[in-house]
Amino acid sequence: MKQINQLIKETKKYLTKYDYDKVIELCDKILAIDNRSYFGLRFKGIAYYQTGKYKVALEYYEKLYELSHDNDLINSMVFLNEKIGNYDEALKLYEKFPKIDYTFNKIKRLLTKMKNYQLIIDEYNNKLNELNVLEKTPGNTKRKIVLLEEKGVFQYRNGEYNSAYESIKEASVLYNAIDYKNSFLHEKLVEWYDMVSEYLEKYQNPEDFFNELFNLEANSELWYAKINYRFSQYEDSLVFCDLLLELYSDNIDLLRVCALKSKQIDDDYSLNCWNMILEIDPENVEAIREILDIYSYQFSKDKSLNLINQKLYIDEIKMELLERKIRLLESMTLFDEAIIVYDKYLSLQNEDDQYVNQLSIYDKMRCMEQKSLELYLDNNLDVSYNVLKEVYNIYEKTRDSDNHSNMNSYMDDWYNIILKKSIDKSNDDQYIFFKEFYEVNNKTLELWIEKIKFLIHWKHFGNPITYCNILLNKNENNVQLLDTKAYVYYRTGRLNKALDIYNKVLKLDVDNDEAKNYKFNILVQKHRYMKSYRLLKSMNVDYSIVNHNLLTLANALLKYRKYKEALYVYECIFSLIGRIDTIDKIKFLQNKTGQTEKLHNSPYYMNWIELINYKYESDNTCPKCGNKLTKIIYGYPTPEIMKSADKGEIILGGCCVSDDSPTHYCKKCNSYVHMGTYNIDITSDDEELSYYTRRNIHWITRMIMNNPKNNIKQIEKAALKRGIDHQEIVKFIEKLVDINHIKQDENHLHLVNYKKNNSWM
């Protein structure tokens, strides 16, 4: 077992360097000891896959699947079968997945490659039949429209032009029957549907209709809108991409639209589109960047390096590509190669005054330090020492330069107090140097901790854990070092390891509040809610550490009906940062746990209703001069809003909006006016209480607006969940009736002067 663990450790090292020949060699040694080793089979399969030997890779994934029926393995086997053209086997593998839309879309791609359109059409018919027996809601109607459209595309590709025509026609009829479609569809998408209706009316011959419909040269803008802007969440835009690319395979604009659309849906599809663009335009900068981004999250670092090396001749992106190359080489622990590229990059940087550099000489120094650390671990002390000497020489030369302001003051001390003094004391004896270098005392401990934490923030930080381990080797119970190691694990997402070390820290130092706060975060993130609650009650809370995890815990305890515990956490949040949105939960839970006296003594009980003063008679009349007001619209404007702004019908207020942002503008007074929430004036002396009042006015208005059939009892029930009890809701309704915002008849509430789709809010 010890021998296998050592081989696994060595294999991981070469995997990081993307040395697949060495990985295969080491996996063979592992499998010679244990022919069912999951690690050996998996990484040998990965190595063959990454080197393009898909058939051999498939053999190892099939062996893996015998050991573990994992869906990820099925995905890999599907991919490999497709790569070697074994589509039938890939199709069989999909049968192991649950039948969901995601799987259906994947199967469609595969069947499209096989040109087996009939099976796709049959599946669309099944989905349409299922939909026909469901309630005819707006969502189901939209889904039916997209299913008919996509079915029509596959019927067209299958040569069934008459059937395709009828499917598109049925979808068009359904679309035209939808009310208010202009309010939720992009302007150009509306034009696309109008175009379809026009062609259906103009061409009764299906072939003439489709020839005109798929004429990209005449309708490119509308087709790009159809691909980009979804009509329904169930829409599969790649169905249209496939067809159009079959007809216009060398159209760069179409390839770009399809590549961008498919990036989040099917990265291999997107990658194929970008590669096709590069075949047409080898210097297309956008395509190069997008391909490198896709390679990045596919972990294809070797392919990234190949592409970068091919495109370094393009002056426009040379510096950017060199940066990417450096980061890739560092992440692959190929430090010697990275240092060579750093030298090239820094020399070009000096020549180009216009270039805003992302990397500096200090990044090169850290890269050299990582090289030295790797050499030290390989017991190559002499070379490791010489590299660190060179690092200090570079530091000395740059210390007085303008760029030195980028250096953290703690890092200055690390170079001067730890590195320089260790070099001076060593007399060039590497053994003496490293003994001194890693010697921890009160003076150097803080500097080492700052160094390690600083490396976490550096994009390619090497492995600060390694420094922790070396320093802990002689100081295994040093609480500060253990705390730092746990923090590194926490920040890099290795929660189990972080938790183990924080537990050790708390055994050595039971009052360590920082360790408790981070342990609390880990327990919450691992869904150990009662343990995290008990820990919370025993610690001094540092909100800068726990922040959103507190709310996560409170919501989880409420969900699992741990009402007293949830109340404690919500009250804790409110006392720390005064989050008004927790008041609803606090009031609800005080009522739920019988703490009515505490509830009734709260400033958020009843008092907020008294802040409601009156409602302006009209949001169109200036309260100062009586002139007509112009409404101010905040947020990102739609094309329709932009048109209204151009005509002077509204004013754009920008994207930043607060509670006291003006709602209207008076052109006569030349003044901005705040007409309150739904034109209701609220006393705002107590900012938090007035904000709570506005939230409740907004809630009940939307409740009545969206659920006009709800009776008063149903509204009271919903109010109770917000912590508003029977007495409060009755008084609140009376107040809103009194100011003429709502009216009450028997069991229902209605908004005054409200019409559907009105924008008086």
Side-chain angles (χ1 to χ4, degrees), residues 330 335 339 342 361-377 383-385 387-392 394-395 407 411 414-415 419 434 437-438 448 451-452 454-455 458 460-463 466-467 470:
E330 286 176 332
F335 300 119
I339 291 164
Y342 262 118
I361 188 67
Y362 299 110
D363 293 291
K364 178 187 173 183
M365 288 163 58
R366 283 187 281 276
C367 180
M368 293 172 70
E369 289 165 20
Q370 293 303 315
K371 175 186 174 182
S372 171
L373 182 59
E374 188 175 69
L375 289 164
Y376 174 83
L377 295 173
V383 181
S384 176
Y385 167 67
V387 172
L388 285 176
K389 273 184 71 177
E390 189 181 348
V391 167
Y392 186 76
I394 295 172
Y395 167 77
M407 178 66 74
M411 293 303 97
W414 186 88
Y415 285 107
L419 182 55
F434 282 112
F437 186 61
Y438 289 121
W448 267 114
K451 174 74 170 178
I452 290 164
F454 183 71
L455 288 175
W458 187 40
H460 293 293
F461 49 76
N463 189 358
T466 305
Y467 279 130
I470 293 169

Side-chain angles (χ1 to χ4, degrees), residues 642-689:
M642 288 295 290
K643 285 181 181 178
S644 297
D646 291 339
K647 293 176 183 176
E649 296 170 353
I650 59 169
I651 291 174
L652 300 180
C655 292
C656 298
V657 59
S658 62
D659 291 328
D660 57 357
S661 296
T663 57
H664 294 78
Y665 176 72
C666 179
K667 294 177 181 178
K668 185 176 180 181
C669 294
N670 192 27
S671 61
Y672 290 94
V673 182
H674 192 294
M675 298 294 285
T677 304
Y678 298 102
N679 305 331
I680 298 172
D681 184 78
I682 299 166
T683 301
S684 56
D685 295 342
D686 185 327
E687 188 177 332
E688 291 180 350
L689 199 59

Side-chain angles (χ1 to χ4, degrees), residues 453-655:
K453 288 184 176 180
F454 183 71
L455 288 175
I456 300 173
H457 299 289
W458 187 40
K459 188 148 187 174
H460 293 293
F461 49 76
N463 189 358
I465 289 294
T466 305
Y467 279 130
C468 291
N469 290 338
I470 293 169
L471 295 168
L472 282 165
N473 193 38
K474 294 181 180 178
N475 308 272
E476 63 178 344
N477 288 327
N478 186 296
V479 169
Q480 288 171 278
L481 283 173
L482 286 167
D483 230 339
T484 304
K485 185 177 180 180
Y487 176 75
V488 175
Y489 277 134
Y490 175 78
R491 284 295 305 273
T492 53
R494 292 170 281 184
L495 298 185
N496 287 332
K497 290 187 175 183
L499 183 59
D500 289 342
I501 299 172
Y502 279 127
N503 284 333
K504 184 175 180 179
V505 168
L506 289 169
K507 283 182 181 178
L508 297 168
D509 179 8
V510 292
D511 296 322
N512 190 313
D513 277 318
E514 183 178 332
K516 286 182 179 180
N517 276 266
Y518 279 112
K519 180 180 176 179
F520 169 82
N521 284 354
I522 295 167
L523 291 173
V524 172
Q525 289 168 39
K526 291 174 71 63
H527 309 297
R528 298 179 186 176
Y529 298 125
M530 289 308 295
K531 279 189 176 181
S532 55
Y533 169 74
R534 288 191 289 271
L535 178 60
L536 176 67
K537 295 197 74 173
S538 72
M539 72 190 204
N540 295 316
V541 179
D542 184 340
Y543 192 77
S544 66
I545 295 175
V546 300
N547 49 66
H548 66 275
N549 289 292
L550 265 181
L551 188 59
T552 300
L553 174 61
N555 291 339
L557 291 170
L558 177 59
K559 178 184 175 181
Y560 293 112
R561 300 184 181 182
K562 300 289 183 181
Y563 297 128
K564 287 183 180 179
E565 293 84 353
L567 177 59
Y568 176 87
V569 184
Y570 283 120
E571 288 178 332
C572 181
I573 295 168
F574 187 74
S575 67
L576 287 167
I577 57 166
R579 279 189 64 156
I580 298 299
D581 57 350
T582 61
I583 291 295
D584 298 342
K585 300 290 195 304
I586 290 171
K587 289 176 66 180
F588 167 76
L589 290 166
Q590 285 173 340
N591 192 35
K592 195 80 175 174
T593 55
Q595 299 183 39
T596 51
E597 185 178 348
K598 195 174 181 181
L599 170 64
H600 293 163
N601 289 332
S602 165
Y604 294 94
Y605 185 77
M606 292 290 191
N607 296 352
W608 57 275
I609 301 172
E610 300 304 321
L611 301 186
I612 301 170
N613 296 320
Y614 54 84
K615 182 173 180 177
Y616 295 103
E617 291 184 7
S618 170
D619 66 353
N620 291 324
T621 305
C622 176
K624 296 179 182 178
C625 70
N627 190 53
K628 185 179 178 181
L629 292 173
T630 305
K631 191 172 180 65
I632 300 173
I633 300 292
Y634 294 92
Y636 188 80
T638 63
E640 291 78 12
I641 289 175
M642 288 295 290
K643 285 181 181 178
S644 297
D646 291 339
K647 293 176 183 176
E649 296 170 353
I650 59 169
I651 291 174
L652 300 180
C655 292

